[in-house]
């Protein structure tokens, strides 16, 4: 029996944001699997070693070592994860950044919400679009 529980990779260097994101996922469905990476480089290492790819990648843009734009450039070209939808999850909200991310293959752009309830709503809508 297959389940429709999504697996997620969250790439974000902010541990508070990671905790809120993981709490929101747990609130939506405790069986959702979410791995985290503190930057694009670590994420690529995780993806290289993974037996199976995540269903969705949430990507912060402003990170040390390898930022979100650099990660997108590398993954969307010739990586085994190039077909995994990437949702930009960032505090950046200017049009130039959004356009650049979309040109590089980002599936969607979400500005990090300040309220937990907003994050739950956003994630639920993304993960289970038919039930909105």
């Amino acid at each position: 029996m297959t389940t429709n529980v999504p697996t997620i990779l969250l790439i974000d260097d902010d541990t508070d944001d990671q905790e809120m994101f993981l709490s929101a996922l747990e609130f939506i469905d405790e069986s959702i699997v979410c791995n985290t990476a503190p930057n694009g480089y670590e994420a690529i290492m995780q993806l290289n070693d993974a037996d199976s790819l995540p269903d969705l990648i949430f990507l912060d843009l402003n990170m040390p070592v390898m930022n979100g734009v650099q990660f997108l450039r590398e993954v969307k070209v010739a990586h085994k994860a190039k077909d995994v939808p990437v949702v930009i999850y960032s505090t950046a909200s200017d049009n130039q950044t959004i356009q650049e991310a979309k040109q590089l293959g980002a599936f969607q752009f979400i500005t990090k919400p300040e309220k937990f309830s907003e994050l739950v709503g956003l994630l639920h809508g993304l993960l289970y679009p038919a039930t909105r």
Side-chain angles (χ1 to χ4, degrees), residues 18-84:
Q18 281 186 14
E19 283 178 26
M20 187 163 124
F21 191 93
L22 293 169
S23 296
L25 288 177
E26 194 173 310
F27 183 83
I28 293 165
D29 183 344
E30 290 180 6
S31 59
I32 294 172
V33 175
C34 183
N35 295 308
T36 59
N39 59 59
Y41 175 78
E42 293 290 331
I44 286 175
M45 294 299 108
Q46 269 188 43
L47 291 166
N48 287 345
D49 294 341
D51 293 328
S52 61
L53 296 171
D55 296 308
L56 209 51
I57 295 172
F58 285 83
L59 176 65
D60 187 18
L61 291 176
N62 304 315
M63 298 176 289
V65 185
M66 178 188 278
N67 68 31
V69 170
Q70 293 165 320
F71 173 85
L72 271 176
R73 279 200 183 105
E74 185 150 334
V75 167
K76 288 298 179 183
V77 174
H79 194 274
K80 69 179 184 179
K82 72 180 188 310
D83 296 326
V84 176

Side-chain angles (χ1 to χ4, degrees), residues 78-98:
H79 194 274
K80 69 179 184 179
K82 72 180 188 310
D83 296 326
V84 176
V86 175
V87 176
I88 303 300
Y89 179 66
S90 180
T91 51
S93 58
D94 61 286
N95 275 337
Q96 184 179 347
T97 304
I98 293 169

